[in-house]
Amino acid sequence: MPTTPLAPGEFPDGHGGHTSPPPGALEYKPDAETVAIVRARDRHCRLPGCRVPAKKCQLDHVIPFRHRSSHAGGWTIPSNLQCLCAFHHQLKTQKLWSARMLAGGVMIWTSSYGTTHVTIPDGGLTASPPDPDLIPKVRNGPDKWEPPEIDQGEPPF
């Protein structure tokens, strides 16, 4: 069965659709406002299945920042940044995982084995309250685990 190629990402150049860099885009380290926006959008590490809180994560350039040619590389803007815990940031840097960002901060992840996963930001920075019927849910298990009830009656022996 032939496979359909995946989208290259919303802004494969890492420039977020801008024709000229916005303030701070050519600096490697994001300013406090950009950090707050990305952490509020992501809420946790964006690698599939990881739930390390955003405040404990590093910000990763989806399209790498080019220190010697910052105009050409991925810019330091919310549409080119994501939260990754230190371990998963290293896996991406070592090219064991690759990431592409689609509209709305949706990430397409591809492992070095060729498997593909999608992660959706938990923050949802929208102007109006989101409709819960339209929010896709990606689950890693039950919402809440409840221990089984223990019979407090006679001992079993």
Side-chain angles (χ1 to χ4, degrees):
M1 172 184 260
T3 60
T4 304
L6 295 172
E10 185 175 27
F11 304 109
D13 60 1
H15 295 178
H18 299 280
T19 55
S20 61
L26 301 180
E27 302 294 323
Y28 178 70
K29 186 176 178 183
D31 60 23
E33 180 182 2
T34 302
V35 170
I37 290 169
V38 174
R39 286 188 173 156
R41 179 195 68 206
D42 292 353
R43 303 275 173 102
H44 58 79
C45 175
R46 293 301 301 277
L47 200 96
C50 186
R51 303 301 285 183
V52 171
K55 67 181 178 181
K56 294 184 177 183
C57 289
Q58 302 169 351
L59 291 194
D60 166 63
H61 288 81
V62 178
I63 306 298
F65 184 85
R66 292 175 61 184
H67 294 277
R68 293 191 175 139
S69 180
S70 56
H71 277 282
W75 291 345
T76 305
I77 54 178
S79 62
N80 190 44
L81 294 170
Q82 65 178 331
C83 292
L84 290 179
C85 67
F87 178 71
H88 290 137
H89 197 168
Q90 283 299 314
L91 292 182
K92 181 178 173 277
T93 300
Q94 294 170 359
K95 303 198 184 311
L96 296 173
W97 284 92
S98 63
R100 287 173 280 164
M101 187 178 289
L102 302 179
V106 172
M107 297 299 301
I108 296 178
W109 287 94
T110 305
S111 75
S112 57
Y113 293 109
T115 59
T116 302
H117 304 269
V118 175
T119 63
I120 300 167
D122 274 355
L125 300 175
T126 60
S128 60
D131 181 346
D133 294 330
L134 299 177
I135 298 174
K137 301 290 185 195
V138 178
R139 304 217 186 269
N140 291 328
D143 286 336
K144 184 177 178 185
W145 181 80
E146 294 287 338
E149 289 187 30
I150 298 173
D151 185 9
Q152 298 294 329
E154 301 266 337
F157 43 90

PDB file of all heavy atoms in Angstrom, residues 136-156:
ATOM      1  N   PRO A 136      -9.708  17.511  20.027  1.00  0.00           N
ATOM      2  CA  PRO A 136      -9.297  16.109  19.949  1.00  0.00           C
ATOM      3  C   PRO A 136      -8.565  15.708  21.225  1.00  0.00           C
ATOM      4  O   PRO A 136      -7.871  16.513  21.835  1.00  0.00           O
ATOM      5  CB  PRO A 136      -8.368  16.076  18.741  1.00  0.00           C
ATOM      6  CG  PRO A 136      -7.952  17.471  18.526  1.00  0.00           C
ATOM      7  CD  PRO A 136      -8.986  18.357  19.114  1.00  0.00           C
ATOM      8  N   LYS A 137      -8.754  14.487  21.626  1.00  0.00           N
ATOM      9  CA  LYS A 137      -8.111  13.979  22.834  1.00  0.00           C
ATOM     10  C   LYS A 137      -7.116  12.894  22.433  1.00  0.00           C
ATOM     11  O   LYS A 137      -7.459  11.959  21.732  1.00  0.00           O
ATOM     12  CB  LYS A 137      -9.134  13.376  23.800  1.00  0.00           C
ATOM     13  CG  LYS A 137     -10.199  14.352  24.237  1.00  0.00           C
ATOM     14  CD  LYS A 137      -9.642  15.403  25.152  1.00  0.00           C
ATOM     15  CE  LYS A 137     -10.746  16.291  25.666  1.00  0.00           C
ATOM     16  NZ  LYS A 137     -10.297  17.495  26.254  1.00  0.00           N
ATOM     17  N   VAL A 138      -5.886  13.052  22.878  1.00  0.00           N
ATOM     18  CA  VAL A 138      -4.866  12.033  22.684  1.00  0.00           C
ATOM     19  C   VAL A 138      -4.578  11.490  24.066  1.00  0.00           C
ATOM     20  O   VAL A 138      -4.122  12.212  24.940  1.00  0.00           O
ATOM     21  CB  VAL A 138      -3.588  12.631  22.043  1.00  0.00           C
ATOM     22  CG1 VAL A 138      -2.529  11.568  21.898  1.00  0.00           C
ATOM     23  CG2 VAL A 138      -3.919  13.237  20.697  1.00  0.00           C
ATOM     24  N   ARG A 139      -4.849  10.239  24.275  1.00  0.00           N
ATOM     25  CA  ARG A 139      -4.762   9.674  25.613  1.00  0.00           C
ATOM     26  C   ARG A 139      -3.616   8.675  25.717  1.00  0.00           C
ATOM     27  O   ARG A 139      -3.308   7.962  24.775  1.00  0.00           O
ATOM     28  CB  ARG A 139      -6.063   8.986  25.969  1.00  0.00           C
ATOM     29  CG  ARG A 139      -7.262   9.917  25.845  1.00  0.00           C
ATOM     30  CD  ARG A 139      -8.258   9.631  26.931  1.00  0.00           C
ATOM     31  NE  ARG A 139      -9.466  10.401  26.752  1.00  0.00           N
ATOM     32  CZ  ARG A 139      -9.657  11.594  27.290  1.00  0.00           C
ATOM     33  NH1 ARG A 139      -8.745  12.138  28.010  1.00  0.00           N
ATOM     34  NH2 ARG A 139     -10.788  12.232  27.102  1.00  0.00           N
ATOM     35  N   ASN A 140      -3.038   8.621  26.901  1.00  0.00           N
ATOM     36  CA  ASN A 140      -1.997   7.649  27.207  1.00  0.00           C
ATOM     37  C   ASN A 140      -2.479   6.647  28.248  1.00  0.00           C
ATOM     38  O   ASN A 140      -1.700   5.900  28.789  1.00  0.00           O
ATOM     39  CB  ASN A 140      -0.750   8.369  27.747  1.00  0.00           C
ATOM     40  CG  ASN A 140      -0.089   9.170  26.674  1.00  0.00           C
ATOM     41  OD1 ASN A 140      -0.118   8.800  25.521  1.00  0.00           O
ATOM     42  ND2 ASN A 140       0.501  10.287  27.034  1.00  0.00           N
ATOM     43  N   GLY A 141      -3.724   6.656  28.558  1.00  0.00           N
ATOM     44  CA  GLY A 141      -4.267   5.755  29.562  1.00  0.00           C
ATOM     45  C   GLY A 141      -5.542   6.340  30.126  1.00  0.00           C
ATOM     46  O   GLY A 141      -6.067   7.330  29.615  1.00  0.00           O
ATOM     47  N   PRO A 142      -6.042   5.755  31.198  1.00  0.00           N
ATOM     48  CA  PRO A 142      -7.287   6.268  31.780  1.00  0.00           C
ATOM     49  C   PRO A 142      -7.094   7.666  32.336  1.00  0.00           C
ATOM     50  O   PRO A 142      -5.990   8.051  32.716  1.00  0.00           O
ATOM     51  CB  PRO A 142      -7.607   5.255  32.874  1.00  0.00           C
ATOM     52  CG  PRO A 142      -6.329   4.563  33.166  1.00  0.00           C
ATOM     53  CD  PRO A 142      -5.502   4.620  31.916  1.00  0.00           C
ATOM     54  N   ASP A 143      -8.192   8.431  32.375  1.00  0.00           N
ATOM     55  CA  ASP A 143      -8.134   9.783  32.919  1.00  0.00           C
ATOM     56  C   ASP A 143      -7.719   9.775  34.382  1.00  0.00           C
ATOM     57  O   ASP A 143      -6.932  10.581  34.823  1.00  0.00           O
ATOM     58  CB  ASP A 143      -9.486  10.482  32.796  1.00  0.00           C
ATOM     59  CG  ASP A 143      -9.776  10.886  31.362  1.00  0.00           C
ATOM     60  OD1 ASP A 143      -8.830  11.044  30.593  1.00  0.00           O
ATOM     61  OD2 ASP A 143     -10.961  11.036  31.036  1.00  0.00           O
ATOM     62  N   LYS A 144      -8.288   8.867  35.141  1.00  0.00           N
ATOM     63  CA  LYS A 144      -8.004   8.829  36.567  1.00  0.00           C
ATOM     64  C   LYS A 144      -8.034   7.377  37.009  1.00  0.00           C
ATOM     65  O   LYS A 144      -8.958   6.638  36.695  1.00  0.00           O
ATOM     66  CB  LYS A 144      -9.054   9.641  37.322  1.00  0.00           C
ATOM     67  CG  LYS A 144      -8.796   9.745  38.790  1.00  0.00           C
ATOM     68  CD  LYS A 144      -9.833  10.638  39.463  1.00  0.00           C
ATOM     69  CE  LYS A 144      -9.575  10.688  40.960  1.00  0.00           C
ATOM     70  NZ  LYS A 144     -10.599  11.432  41.655  1.00  0.00           N
ATOM     71  N   TRP A 145      -7.027   6.974  37.749  1.00  0.00           N
ATOM     72  CA  TRP A 145      -6.959   5.613  38.248  1.00  0.00           C
ATOM     73  C   TRP A 145      -7.544   5.554  39.641  1.00  0.00           C
ATOM     74  O   TRP A 145      -7.231   6.398  40.494  1.00  0.00           O
ATOM     75  CB  TRP A 145      -5.512   5.129  38.275  1.00  0.00           C
ATOM     76  CG  TRP A 145      -5.374   3.723  38.754  1.00  0.00           C
ATOM     77  CD1 TRP A 145      -5.578   2.601  38.032  1.00  0.00           C
ATOM     78  CD2 TRP A 145      -5.014   3.295  40.071  1.00  0.00           C
ATOM     79  NE1 TRP A 145      -5.365   1.501  38.805  1.00  0.00           N
ATOM     80  CE2 TRP A 145      -5.016   1.901  40.074  1.00  0.00           C
ATOM     81  CE3 TRP A 145      -4.704   3.968  41.251  1.00  0.00           C
ATOM     82  CZ2 TRP A 145      -4.715   1.146  41.181  1.00  0.00           C
ATOM     83  CZ3 TRP A 145      -4.405   3.214  42.362  1.00  0.00           C
ATOM     84  CH2 TRP A 145      -4.405   1.828  42.327  1.00  0.00           C
ATOM     85  N   GLU A 146      -8.423   4.629  39.854  1.00  0.00           N
ATOM     86  CA  GLU A 146      -9.011   4.419  41.162  1.00  0.00           C
ATOM     87  C   GLU A 146      -8.584   3.034  41.640  1.00  0.00           C
ATOM     88  O   GLU A 146      -8.696   2.053  40.906  1.00  0.00           O
ATOM     89  CB  GLU A 146     -10.539   4.476  41.085  1.00  0.00           C
ATOM     90  CG  GLU A 146     -11.088   5.832  40.716  1.00  0.00           C
ATOM     91  CD  GLU A 146     -10.977   6.826  41.858  1.00  0.00           C
ATOM     92  OE1 GLU A 146     -10.882   6.415  43.027  1.00  0.00           O
ATOM     93  OE2 GLU A 146     -10.969   8.033  41.571  1.00  0.00           O
ATOM     94  N   PRO A 147      -8.089   2.939  42.878  1.00  0.00           N
ATOM     95  CA  PRO A 147      -7.719   1.611  43.381  1.00  0.00           C
ATOM     96  C   PRO A 147      -8.973   0.765  43.568  1.00  0.00           C
ATOM     97  O   PRO A 147     -10.056   1.289  43.828  1.00  0.00           O
ATOM     98  CB  PRO A 147      -7.043   1.911  44.719  1.00  0.00           C
ATOM     99  CG  PRO A 147      -7.555   3.245  45.130  1.00  0.00           C
ATOM    100  CD  PRO A 147      -7.851   3.983  43.851  1.00  0.00           C
ATOM    101  N   PRO A 148      -8.815  -0.559  43.420  1.00  0.00           N
ATOM    102  CA  PRO A 148      -9.989  -1.414  43.604  1.00  0.00           C
ATOM    103  C   PRO A 148     -10.458  -1.357  45.060  1.00  0.00           C
ATOM    104  O   PRO A 148      -9.660  -1.153  45.971  1.00  0.00           O
ATOM    105  CB  PRO A 148      -9.485  -2.806  43.227  1.00  0.00           C
ATOM    106  CG  PRO A 148      -8.003  -2.726  43.358  1.00  0.00           C
ATOM    107  CD  PRO A 148      -7.619  -1.307  43.108  1.00  0.00           C
ATOM    108  N   GLU A 149     -11.750  -1.525  45.240  1.00  0.00           N
ATOM    109  CA  GLU A 149     -12.287  -1.515  46.595  1.00  0.00           C
ATOM    110  C   GLU A 149     -11.863  -2.786  47.305  1.00  0.00           C
ATOM    111  O   GLU A 149     -11.848  -3.878  46.730  1.00  0.00           O
ATOM    112  CB  GLU A 149     -13.806  -1.417  46.551  1.00  0.00           C
ATOM    113  CG  GLU A 149     -14.291  -0.062  46.094  1.00  0.00           C
ATOM    114  CD  GLU A 149     -15.791   0.068  46.223  1.00  0.00           C
ATOM    115  OE1 GLU A 149     -16.392  -0.573  47.118  1.00  0.00           O
ATOM    116  OE2 GLU A 149     -16.358   0.809  45.412  1.00  0.00           O
ATOM    117  N   ILE A 150     -11.497  -2.621  48.582  1.00  0.00           N
ATOM    118  CA  ILE A 150     -11.072  -3.765  49.389  1.00  0.00           C
ATOM    119  C   ILE A 150     -12.190  -4.075  50.372  1.00  0.00           C
ATOM    120  O   ILE A 150     -12.673  -3.191  51.088  1.00  0.00           O
ATOM    121  CB  ILE A 150      -9.762  -3.444  50.134  1.00  0.00           C
ATOM    122  CG1 ILE A 150      -8.659  -3.156  49.123  1.00  0.00           C
ATOM    123  CG2 ILE A 150      -9.380  -4.577  51.066  1.00  0.00           C
ATOM    124  CD1 ILE A 150      -7.371  -2.675  49.737  1.00  0.00           C
ATOM    125  N   ASP A 151     -12.575  -5.339  50.383  1.00  0.00           N
ATOM    126  CA  ASP A 151     -13.629  -5.765  51.306  1.00  0.00           C
ATOM    127  C   ASP A 151     -13.066  -5.724  52.724  1.00  0.00           C
ATOM    128  O   ASP A 151     -12.065  -6.364  53.026  1.00  0.00           O
ATOM    129  CB  ASP A 151     -14.087  -7.177  50.936  1.00  0.00           C
ATOM    130  CG  ASP A 151     -15.248  -7.637  51.779  1.00  0.00           C
ATOM    131  OD1 ASP A 151     -15.822  -6.812  52.531  1.00  0.00           O
ATOM    132  OD2 ASP A 151     -15.589  -8.829  51.689  1.00  0.00           O
ATOM    133  N   GLN A 152     -13.676  -4.941  53.581  1.00  0.00           N
ATOM    134  CA  GLN A 152     -13.199  -4.793  54.947  1.00  0.00           C
ATOM    135  C   GLN A 152     -13.823  -5.839  55.887  1.00  0.00           C
ATOM    136  O   GLN A 152     -13.677  -5.752  57.098  1.00  0.00           O
ATOM    137  CB  GLN A 152     -13.536  -3.372  55.461  1.00  0.00           C
ATOM    138  CG  GLN A 152     -12.880  -2.275  54.681  1.00  0.00           C
ATOM    139  CD  GLN A 152     -11.360  -2.279  54.837  1.00  0.00           C
ATOM    140  OE1 GLN A 152     -10.827  -2.670  55.865  1.00  0.00           O
ATOM    141  NE2 GLN A 152     -10.674  -1.853  53.795  1.00  0.00           N
ATOM    142  N   GLY A 153     -14.493  -6.826  55.317  1.00  0.00           N
ATOM    143  CA  GLY A 153     -15.166  -7.858  56.147  1.00  0.00           C
ATOM    144  C   GLY A 153     -14.174  -8.880  56.684  1.00  0.00           C
ATOM    145  O   GLY A 153     -13.061  -8.561  57.073  1.00  0.00           O
ATOM    146  N   GLU A 154     -14.582 -10.116  56.677  1.00  0.00           N
ATOM    147  CA  GLU A 154     -13.780 -11.221  57.200  1.00  0.00           C
ATOM    148  C   GLU A 154     -12.500 -11.391  56.399  1.00  0.00           C
ATOM    149  O   GLU A 154     -12.502 -11.236  55.176  1.00  0.00           O
ATOM    150  CB  GLU A 154     -14.592 -12.519  57.130  1.00  0.00           C
ATOM    151  CG  GLU A 154     -15.874 -12.471  57.900  1.00  0.00           C
ATOM    152  CD  GLU A 154     -15.700 -13.038  59.308  1.00  0.00           C
ATOM    153  OE1 GLU A 154     -14.781 -13.818  59.512  1.00  0.00           O
ATOM    154  OE2 GLU A 154     -16.475 -12.640  60.182  1.00  0.00           O
ATOM    155  N   PRO A 155     -11.371 -11.724  57.044  1.00  0.00           N
ATOM    156  CA  PRO A 155     -10.153 -12.041  56.308  1.00  0.00           C
ATOM    157  C   PRO A 155     -10.371 -13.294  55.461  1.00  0.00           C
ATOM    158  O   PRO A 155     -11.156 -14.161  55.828  1.00  0.00           O
ATOM    159  CB  PRO A 155      -9.099 -12.249  57.374  1.00  0.00           C
ATOM    160  CG  PRO A 155      -9.782 -12.222  58.683  1.00  0.00           C
ATOM    161  CD  PRO A 155     -11.184 -11.772  58.481  1.00  0.00           C
ATOM    162  N   PRO A 156      -9.658 -13.399  54.319  1.00  0.00           N
ATOM    163  CA  PRO A 156      -9.903 -14.519  53.402  1.00  0.00           C
ATOM    164  C   PRO A 156      -9.385 -15.860  53.915  1.00  0.00           C
ATOM    165  O   PRO A 156      -9.651 -16.886  53.325  1.00  0.00           O
ATOM    166  CB  PRO A 156      -9.153 -14.106  52.135  1.00  0.00           C
ATOM    167  CG  PRO A 156      -8.128 -13.126  52.587  1.00  0.00           C
ATOM    168  CD  PRO A 156      -8.713 -12.456  53.792  1.00  0.00           C
TER     169      PRO A 156
END
